Each structure stands twice: as structure tokens, then as C-alpha cells.
């Protein structure tokens, strides 16, 4: 499943990059287009869709309790894998795109500012014939010092701090608890000594879905005011998210089934397919707010994506259910 999410993000990023070239998107919006074309709102959508399908009377996915348990596991794993991708690779792409505004502003300012009338070159001319004798001890110390400084700079860098956000840390901790048997037996099992901790976290987590729904509504409300998003760009993102990605998902999952990489459990196959048809992730808006650019454009893109997804996601869900059963 994490590999499938990575493939879907890679395909979406490639299609978004092609769209950027075709529509000649402004530099500061390139990251937004690639993000909206690749990252999906997997966790919240799957948490809503899968349990609802499992609780149906004539559900094609078997027993409702078993289906719900597997559905929650698939949704949680999808959310964790997507969060790691969004806050690492995608954040770097969007930050680089946003920095283009700063560079363009700096270039314009440097071109319009007056150059100094007198330039002193005395210091460089005085040191033309100065030669430093090599000192191996100092050179070794200098190299070690540079490596230490580079390591400390990396550890304290803002980019690394942004990768290890609370969502990413929670995903890593969740993987560790789920994989390491002693932790799982101490927290998750019904007879676990610290099961109360897991129950409390689960109770708080259940409030996350309606909270995120409110955030989605607030962002969509901003989109009603409109912004300077080209119609061609908006249509391109809608086509990528609602047509091209779902179709490519069928090809990827069918190829994986052909090579024996995917089991025969219909709910698992359905989840893999559904990951390609879900609208863009809300974390993109959080990143844009932190960067300070593209928020109005993102709200418009999200508004139309979720309006169209109300119909397209329903159709793709029905088609995927027919396909796997």
C-alpha cells in the first residue's frame, strides 16, 4: 500500500508538471499545481468511505466487523504514508516554488538600485602574492570542523524540522507500535496493561475527522470569493484528479495483480484503487499558509475539486466495487 501511494503521487506529480508546462503556470504556483495533482486526502476520505461501505447490509466485502477493522487499518496506513510524502518531498517542492517570488523580487530590486560610484579593490590587490603554507594538522581540524558544522546545521535546519512535523512523528510512532510486538501487546490489545492510553488516543483521533471537515469547509468558503486562477489550469487539475489518475490506478493495480503483488481480498484491492480517485489533501493548504503564498488560488482549486468529486468519486467508487467483486 505505501508503494501504491508513492506510485500514485509520482504519476500525479508527472501529470502536474506536464500541466505546468502546457499552461505556462507562474513560477510561484508550480508547487501548488504539482501538489494538487499528486497528494490526496486519503486518511479522512477512507475513514469515511470504508466504514460506511462495510456497514451496508449487503456489503460485498464480507462480515461488517472484519471489514471495518481492516478498513480502519488501511485508512490509517494510507494516512501515515501520505503524511510522510506530503511533509518531505512535496513540502520541498512547494517551498522551492514559493522562493521564486523572493528571488524575482530581489533581482528587480538589485536592477533598480543604484550602483556605488567608487569600488575599492585594495584588499584583493594587496593579497595577490600572499601564499599560505599548508598545515596538515590545521587542515584536518578544519575538515572535521566543517563536517561538524554541516551536521549541526542540517539538524537545526528549518526544512528538517518541517519534515518531522507532529503528523509525521505520529505516523512513525504508529508504525513502531504496530510493528513491534511488545509495544502492541502493551497498548493495543484489549487486555493490555496500558490500553487506557490507546483508548484515549483513539477517542481524540475520532474527533479529528469532523474537525478536518470543518477545516475543509472553511477553505472552500474562501474559494467562493474567487482568485486569478486561469480556467485552463483549473480544468487541467480537474481532469488529472478525476479522470487521468483514476484510470492510471486501474492499470497499476491490475498490473500488480497480474504479477502476484496484490492478494485476492476485494477490500484491499478496492482501497488501492480508491487511493487514485480521492480529491487533493488539505495539508497542502497548511503548507501554503506557512509559506505565505497561493492560499487564495488553493481555495478555488479545492472548491471545484470537491464539487466535482461529489459526483466523480461516487461513480468511481461504484465502478471499483464492480471491478473487484
Amino acid at each position: 500500500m505505501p508503494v501504491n501511494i508513492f506510485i500514485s503521487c509520482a504519476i500525479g506529480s508527472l501529470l502536474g508538471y506536464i500541466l505546468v508546462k502546457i499552461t505556462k503556470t507562474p513560477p510561484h504556483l508550480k508547487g501548488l499545481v504539482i501538489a494538487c495533482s499528486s497528494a490526496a486526502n486519503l486518511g479522512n476520505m477512507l475513514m469515511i468511505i470504508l466504514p460506511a461501505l462495510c456497514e451496508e447490509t449487503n456489503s460485498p466485502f464480507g462480515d461488517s466487523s472484519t471489514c471495518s477493522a481492516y478498513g480502519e487499518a488501511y485508512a490509517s496506513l494510507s494516512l501515515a504514508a501520505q503524511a510522510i510524502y506530503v511533509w518531505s518531498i512535496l513540502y520541498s517542492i512547494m517551498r522551492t516554488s514559493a522562493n521564486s517570488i523572493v528571488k524575482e523580487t530581489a533581482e528587480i530590486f538589485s536592477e533598480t538600485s543604484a550602483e556605488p560610484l567608487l569600488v575599492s579593490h585594495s584588499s584583493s590587490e594587496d593579497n595577490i602574492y600572499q601564499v599560505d603554507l599548508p598545515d596538515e594538522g590545521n587542515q584536518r581540524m578544519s575538515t572535521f570542523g566543517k563536517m561538524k558544522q554541516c551536521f549541526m546545521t542540517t539538524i537545526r535546519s528549518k526544512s528538517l524540522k518541517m519534515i518531522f512535523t507532529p503528523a509525521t512523528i505520529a505516523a512513525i510512532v504508529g508504525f513502531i507500535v504496530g510493528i513491534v510486538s511488545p509495544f502492541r501487546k502493551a497498548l493495543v490489545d484489549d487486555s493490555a496493561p496500558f490500553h487506557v492510553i490507546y483508548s484515549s488516543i483513539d477517542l481524540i483521533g475520532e474527533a479529528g475527522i469532523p474537525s478536518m471537515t470543518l477545516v475543509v469547509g472553511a477553505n472552500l468558503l474562501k474559494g467562493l470569493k474567487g482568485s486569478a486562477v486561469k480556467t485552463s489550469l483549473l480544468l487541467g487539475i480537474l481532469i488529472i484528479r478525476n479522470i487521468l489518475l483514476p484510470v492510471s490506478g486501474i492499470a497499476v493495480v491490475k498490473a500488480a495483480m497480474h504479477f502476484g503483488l496484490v492478494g485476492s481480498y476485494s477490500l484491499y484491492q478496492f482501497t488501492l484503487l480508491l487511493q487514485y480517485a480521492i480529491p487533493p489533501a488539505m495539508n497542502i493548504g497548511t503548507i501554503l499558509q506557512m509559506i505565505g503564498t497561493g492560499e487564495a488560488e488553493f481555495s478555488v482549486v479545492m472548491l471545484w475539486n470537491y464539487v466535482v468529486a461529489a459526483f466523480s468519486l461516487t461513480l468511481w467508487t461504484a465502478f471499483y466495487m464492480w471491478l473487484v467483486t
Side-chain angles (χ1 to χ4, degrees):
M1 187 173 291
V3 174
N4 184 66
I5 293 174
F6 176 78
I7 294 174
S8 68
C9 293
I11 295 175
S13 299
L14 178 61
L15 294 174
Y17 179 77
I18 295 173
L19 178 63
V20 165
K21 293 298 182 182
I22 293 175
T23 58
K24 297 180 180 179
T25 305
H28 67 281
L29 294 180
K30 291 180 179 179
L32 169 64
V33 175
I34 295 175
C36 291
S37 301
S38 58
N41 194 11
L42 293 180
N44 299 315
M45 284 295 181
L46 293 180
M47 279 291 187
I48 296 173
I49 295 174
L50 295 181
L53 293 177
C54 291
E55 292 174 2
E56 289 289 333
T57 305
N58 297 322
S59 175
F61 303 122
D63 180 62
S64 60
S65 59
T66 304
C67 176
S68 298
Y70 277 102
E72 290 182 4
Y74 295 157
S76 301
L77 181 59
S78 301
L79 174 62
Q82 182 77 38
I84 294 175
Y85 167 77
V86 169
W87 289 103
S88 57
I89 300 175
L90 199 58
Y91 172 77
S92 301
I93 295 174
M94 296 176 67
R95 187 179 180 186
T96 303
S97 175
N99 287 341
S100 63
I101 303 179
V102 180
K103 293 180 180 178
E104 290 176 0
T105 306
E107 290 176 358
I108 294 173
F109 179 78
S110 62
E111 291 176 358
T112 55
S113 61
E115 296 183 357
L117 298 177
L118 296 176
V119 180
S120 175
H121 300 285
S122 59
S123 59
S124 61
E125 293 174 355
D126 293 341
N127 295 329
I128 292 177
Y129 301 101
Q130 182 178 352
V131 179
D132 294 330
L133 296 176
D135 187 346
E136 295 182 359
N138 291 336
Q139 189 174 4
R140 284 197 298 268
M141 290 298 294
S142 177
T143 303
F144 175 76
K146 289 180 180 179
M147 293 176 61
K148 181 180 178 181
Q149 184 180 5
C150 181
F151 176 76
M152 295 304 297
T153 303
T154 304
I155 292 296
R156 297 172 181 173
S157 65
K158 186 177 180 181
S159 298
L160 191 63
K161 290 179 181 179
M162 295 312 307
I163 291 175
F164 289 98
T165 57
T168 308
I169 295 174
I172 296 173
V173 172
F175 278 127
I176 295 174
V177 173
I179 293 174
V180 180
S181 180
F183 292 159
R184 187 172 64 251
K185 292 180 180 179
L187 291 170
V188 181
D189 296 339
D190 294 334
S191 59
F194 301 103
H195 183 71
V196 62
I197 298 176
Y198 174 79
S199 300
S200 301
I201 295 174
D202 183 61
L203 184 63
I204 296 173
E206 289 181 353
I209 295 177
S211 300
M212 284 300 299
T213 305
L214 294 175
V215 174
V216 173
N219 281 278
L220 297 183
L221 184 61
K222 294 179 182 179
L224 294 174
K225 300 177 182 179
S227 68
V229 178
K230 293 192 299 184
T231 305
S232 58
L233 184 62
L234 184 59
L235 289 177
I237 296 175
L238 291 175
I239 292 173
I240 290 174
R241 289 242 55 113
N242 297 282
I243 299 177
L244 299 182
L245 269 179
V247 172
S248 64
I250 297 175
V252 172
V253 175
K254 284 295 183 180
M257 292 172 60
H258 176 74
F259 291 104
L261 302 176
V262 176
S264 58
Y265 187 32
S266 58
L267 180 63
Y268 182 63
Q269 297 175 3
F270 173 77
T271 305
L272 295 179
L273 290 167
L274 196 61
Q275 289 173 349
Y276 290 84
I278 292 177
M282 291 305 304
N283 286 339
I284 302 172
T286 305
I287 295 176
L288 290 173
Q289 289 176 353
M290 295 168 59
I291 295 174
T293 180
E295 296 179 55
E297 291 81 0
F298 172 73
S299 62
V300 174
V301 172
M302 290 295 288
L303 173 65
W304 287 105
N305 267 277
Y306 275 80
V307 168
V308 175
F311 304 96
S312 65
L313 186 57
T314 303
L315 296 175
W316 284 114
T317 300
F319 180 73
Y320 289 155
M321 290 178 64
W322 172 82
L323 197 63
V324 300
T325 56

